[in-house]
């Protein structure tokens, strides 16, 4: 059985994975994820129609977020888990259909028009084999016959997946917005409408970028409400003699609950990957046993995790095929799943804690310290010094170098770029791409560190706020600032962040290490002509272009 998936930067041959996903996704899982997207479109059609009559259900709205999130790269590789979610998807579709038909009848006195084909008419197969067969029939390429329209649909879908991940994190923190739920339904339903053309989907992509700023703002506010504004904080990269739990992913609420349950039990909690910025939040750093950060970005886990003797838990995307050396002490939570790995449902982490307590101690091996916690509140609190530095000529340029890290060759570009940025320039960074250079020494300019770790990928919101504040201070547009954005991408959250930047009219962004396989030549030309979006080239050439040399 074949497959086709081109949603991440590792797409085989720069086209798409058609035998086995580079991420570890097999054809069976790929088919089930394709079917999830198909089923969600059917659910969205009825949810969108029901909203016209004022009918909605929050648990179904939230499931759309969960369903999309589960198809993000490196999230759920478990066929049994996916089959269960597909059953929920179908049941919710049928419920929304019934609610819509009832509302239509009560409002008009007639019967709602019947939909007899497409995802709204989907009838779920009775077993796993049947589900896989259905998924094969509704793969990525079946969404449209025109290459450019298909490209725009894919960009929209991947943007929705990325936004769903952020909206899921925000929802867990009690932040939600009915306009966001409604857009998910409307946009997914639009991808099934044959009357929609290329510019319709371009418009929806821009709207997706706009609303993602709202979502990232909600998530930021959720973090601040619960844990306070991040503050510059030194993070220990070594270990100390104690039991340990390593937390990988993005979800701060899950980390908080684990910290509460491990307090006073002789267990240190370490962050991994995108969890590093957690150390900057006052509401989390108050726990003395949130000790340090272990390892680097997600793609190094197979090499690094065998060196961590305690329990390990993933709370969002980034999981890879686990090695036998640590599989028995690995756990998943939230939307994450891997066959044979224990999944924690809910907020009781006693199994993870017990595994840590029965595991060997970590070695007493202190390491160097690095800084995190430079969210927009922290940076803008010293905005006067930054502005003064620019006006005095001490700060010549700002570089935003960040995004997703990955295993594909070519990403050493970002290390070399950071190293060669002139000493009179400041580097803003975020997401796991910073692991390429965040352990290097960059010094400071007038007491302001030259490397400012803004946070997770969703903290692109903070980076945007910093840029907007600087533009306001200098009475110019963001595109007129001495600011260059040179980004690395890997999966769908990077796609929606790019859409947000494009919505804001930010131009001259460079991305790499390669361009997305799902962007057709004509769509790429549109992005180049309207936003001067382009690929990275060489470090020397890109630095010269950025600095106007």
């Amino acid at each position: 059985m074949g497959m086709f998936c081109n949603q991440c930067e590792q797409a085989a041959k720069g086209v798409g994975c058609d035998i086995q996903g580079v991420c570890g996704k097999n054809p069976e899982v790929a088919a089930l994820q394709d079917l999830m997207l198909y089923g969600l479109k059917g659910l969205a059609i009825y949810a969108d129609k029901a909203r016209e009559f004022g009918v909605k259900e929050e648990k179904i709205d939230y499931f759309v977020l969960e369903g999309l999130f589960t198809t993000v790269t490196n999230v759920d590789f478990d066929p049994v888990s996916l089959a269960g979610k597909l059953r929920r998807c179908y049941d919710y579709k049928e419920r929304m259909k019934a609610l819509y038909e009832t509302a239509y009848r009560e409002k008009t006195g007639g019967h709602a028009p019947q939909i007899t084909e497409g995802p709204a008419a989907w009838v779920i197969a009775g077993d796993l084999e049947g589900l896989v067969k259905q998924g094969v029939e509704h793969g990525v390429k079946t969404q449209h016959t025109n290459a450019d329209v298909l490209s725009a649909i894919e960009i929209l879908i991947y943007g929705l997946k990325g936004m769903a991940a952020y909206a899921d994190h925000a929802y867990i923190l009690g932040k939600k917005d009915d306009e966001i739920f409604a857009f998910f339904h409307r946009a997914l339903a639009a991808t099934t409408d044959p009357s929609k053309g290329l510019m319709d989907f371009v418009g929806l992509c821009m709207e997706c970028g706009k609303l993602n700023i709202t979502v990232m703002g909600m998530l930021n506010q959720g973090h601040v409400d619960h844990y306070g504004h991040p503050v510059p904080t030194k993070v220990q990269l070594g270990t100390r003699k104690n039991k340990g739990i390593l937390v990988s992913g993005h979800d701060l609420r899950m980390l908080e609950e684990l910290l509460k349950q491990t307090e006073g039990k002789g267990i240190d909690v370490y962050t991994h990957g995108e969890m590093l910025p957690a150390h900057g939040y006052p509401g989390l750093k108050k726990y003395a046993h949130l000790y340090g950060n272990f390892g680097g970005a997600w793609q190094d886990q197979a090499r690094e995790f065998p060196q961590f003797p305690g329990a390990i838990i993933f709370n969002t995307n980034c999981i890879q095929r686990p090695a036998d050396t640590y599989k028995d002490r690995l756990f998943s939570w939230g939307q994450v799943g891997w066959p044979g790995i224990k999944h924690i449902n809910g907020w009781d982490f006693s199994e993870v804690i017990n595994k840590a307590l029965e595991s060997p101690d970590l070695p007493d091996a202190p390491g160097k310290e690095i800084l995190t916690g430079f969210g927009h509140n922290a940076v803008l609190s010293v905005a006067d010094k930054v502005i003064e530095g620019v006006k005095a000529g001490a700060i010549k340029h700002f570089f935003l170098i960040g995004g997703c890290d990955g295993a594909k060759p070519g990403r050493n570009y970002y290390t070399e770029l950071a190293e060669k940025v002139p000493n009179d320039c400041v580097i803003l960074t975020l997401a796991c791409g910073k692991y390429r250079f965040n352990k290097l020494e960059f010094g400071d300019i007038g007491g302001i560190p030259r490397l400012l770790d803004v946070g997770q990928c969703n903290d692109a919101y903070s980076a945007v706020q910093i840029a907007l504040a600087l533009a306001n201070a200098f009475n110019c547009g963001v595109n007129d600032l001495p600011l260059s954005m040179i980004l690395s991408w890997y999966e769908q959250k990077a796609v929606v962040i790019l859409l947000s930047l494009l919505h804001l009219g930010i131009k001259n962004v460079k991305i790499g290490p390669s361009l997305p396989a799902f962007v057709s030549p004509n769509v790429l030309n549109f992005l180049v002509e309207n936003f001067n979006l382009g690929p990275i080239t060489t470090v020397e050439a890109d630095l010269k272009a950025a600095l106007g040399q």
Side-chain angles (χ1 to χ4, degrees), residues 6-11 23 68-69 71-75 155 157-163 165-166 169 249-250 274 298 316-319 403-406 411 431-432 457-458 488-498 512-514 516 518:
N6 63 350
Q7 70 176 8
C8 87
E9 194 269 336
Q10 292 185 151
C23 66
L68 285 169
F69 193 2
T71 68
V72 168
T73 304
N74 292 85
V75 176
I155 293 171
I157 291 292
Y158 302 146
L160 291 173
K161 289 184 178 188
M163 186 163 69
Y166 295 142
H169 297 321
H250 301 75
E274 284 269 56
W298 65 272
T316 63
N317 57 306
C318 293
I319 195 169
C404 314
D405 204 357
R411 290 182 180 268
C432 61
C457 55
N458 55 276
S488 55
W489 83 282
Y490 174 67
E491 40 88 340
Q492 297 79 64
K493 287 182 287 184
V495 174
V496 78
I497 288 173
L498 179 60
S514 61
F518 49 82

Side-chain angles (χ1 to χ4, degrees), residues 15-327:
V15 176
C17 298
D18 55 6
I19 299 174
Q20 177 89 11
V22 175
C23 66
K25 179 166 60 176
N26 62 34
E28 180 183 46
V29 169
L32 294 172
Q33 291 186 356
D34 286 343
L35 185 60
M36 174 62 74
L37 180 58
Y38 187 76
L40 288 170
K41 290 182 179 183
L43 168 56
I45 288 171
Y46 284 118
D48 187 48
K49 289 180 177 295
R51 278 178 173 270
E52 295 177 9
F53 297 92
V55 176
K56 55 193 175 185
E57 281 195 5
E58 188 174 310
K59 67 178 181 181
I60 297 178
D61 291 340
Y62 178 56
F63 176 78
V64 173
L65 305 183
E66 292 182 299
L68 285 169
F69 193 2
T70 214
T71 68
V72 168
T73 304
N74 292 85
V75 176
D76 195 345
F77 295 82
D78 187 350
V80 175
S81 168
L82 288 166
K85 291 173 183 176
L86 281 166
R87 169 52 66 180
R88 288 175 62 200
C89 183
Y90 178 75
D91 289 345
Y92 283 150
K93 175 183 77 78
E94 291 299 292
R95 174 160 177 76
M96 288 311 303
K97 176 184 178 182
L99 290 172
Y100 159 65
E101 290 177 342
T102 298
Y104 188 99
R105 186 168 57 251
E106 291 175 350
K107 185 75 172 180
T108 68
H111 293 287
Q114 294 296 298
I115 304 175
T116 58
E117 59 182 18
W122 169 52
V123 177
I124 191 170
D127 57 21
L128 183 60
E129 183 180 355
L131 291 173
V132 171
K133 183 178 179 181
Q134 287 185 329
V136 171
E137 294 170 353
H138 301 294
V140 173
K141 295 180 179 180
T142 66
Q143 295 181 103
H144 208 280
T145 55
N146 180 282
D148 296 327
V149 177
L150 175 60
S151 178
I153 288 174
E154 284 198 75
I155 293 171
L156 174 61
I157 291 292
Y158 302 146
L160 291 173
K161 289 184 178 188
M163 186 163 69
Y166 295 142
D168 180 80
H169 297 321
Y171 190 89
I172 290 172
L173 292 167
K175 300 296 182 181
K176 56 192 176 185
D177 186 325
D178 195 59
E179 180 187 6
I180 302 299
F181 289 140
F183 177 73
F184 275 108
H185 302 153
R186 177 163 54 87
L188 283 170
T191 65
T192 71
D193 185 347
S195 71
K196 301 288 186 188
L198 178 60
M199 295 312 297
D200 293 308
F201 291 112
V202 169
L204 284 167
C205 285
M206 292 299 101
E207 190 174 358
C208 183
K210 174 184 177 181
L211 291 177
N212 184 58
I213 295 173
T214 300
V215 171
M216 290 193 298
M218 287 163 45
L219 179 52
N220 174 78
Q221 195 58 50
H223 286 157
V224 171
D225 288 350
H226 281 75
Y227 313 118
H229 284 287
V231 295
T233 302
K234 290 183 177 180
V235 182
Q236 170 62 233
L237 298 182
T239 61
R240 66 181 176 187
K241 187 173 175 58
N242 216 347
K243 304 297 182 184
I245 296 175
L246 183 61
V247 182
S248 189
H250 301 75
D251 199 280
L252 300 189
R253 170 80 191 283
M254 175 264 155
L255 176 63
E256 178 191 26
E257 293 301 321
L258 180 65
L259 288 168
K260 289 178 181 177
Q261 293 174 39
T262 50
E263 197 165 22
K265 293 188 176 180
I267 298 174
D268 286 332
V269 175
Y270 293 79
T271 56
H272 173 264
E274 284 269 56
M275 295 301 295
L276 168 62
H279 294 272
Y281 288 91
L284 297 174
K285 62 185 293 185
K286 70 181 182 181
Y287 293 95
H289 62 299
L290 178 59
Y291 180 69
N293 185 78
F294 183 92
W298 65 272
Q299 77 276 359
D300 295 327
Q301 63 192 259
R303 175 173 54 84
E304 295 173 344
F305 284 5
Q307 309 306 314
F308 189 89
I312 305 167
I313 183 167
F314 276 87
N315 62 39
T316 63
N317 57 306
C318 293
I319 195 169
Q320 286 183 306
R321 179 188 299 278
D324 291 338
T325 52
Y326 60 88
K327 183 183 290 187

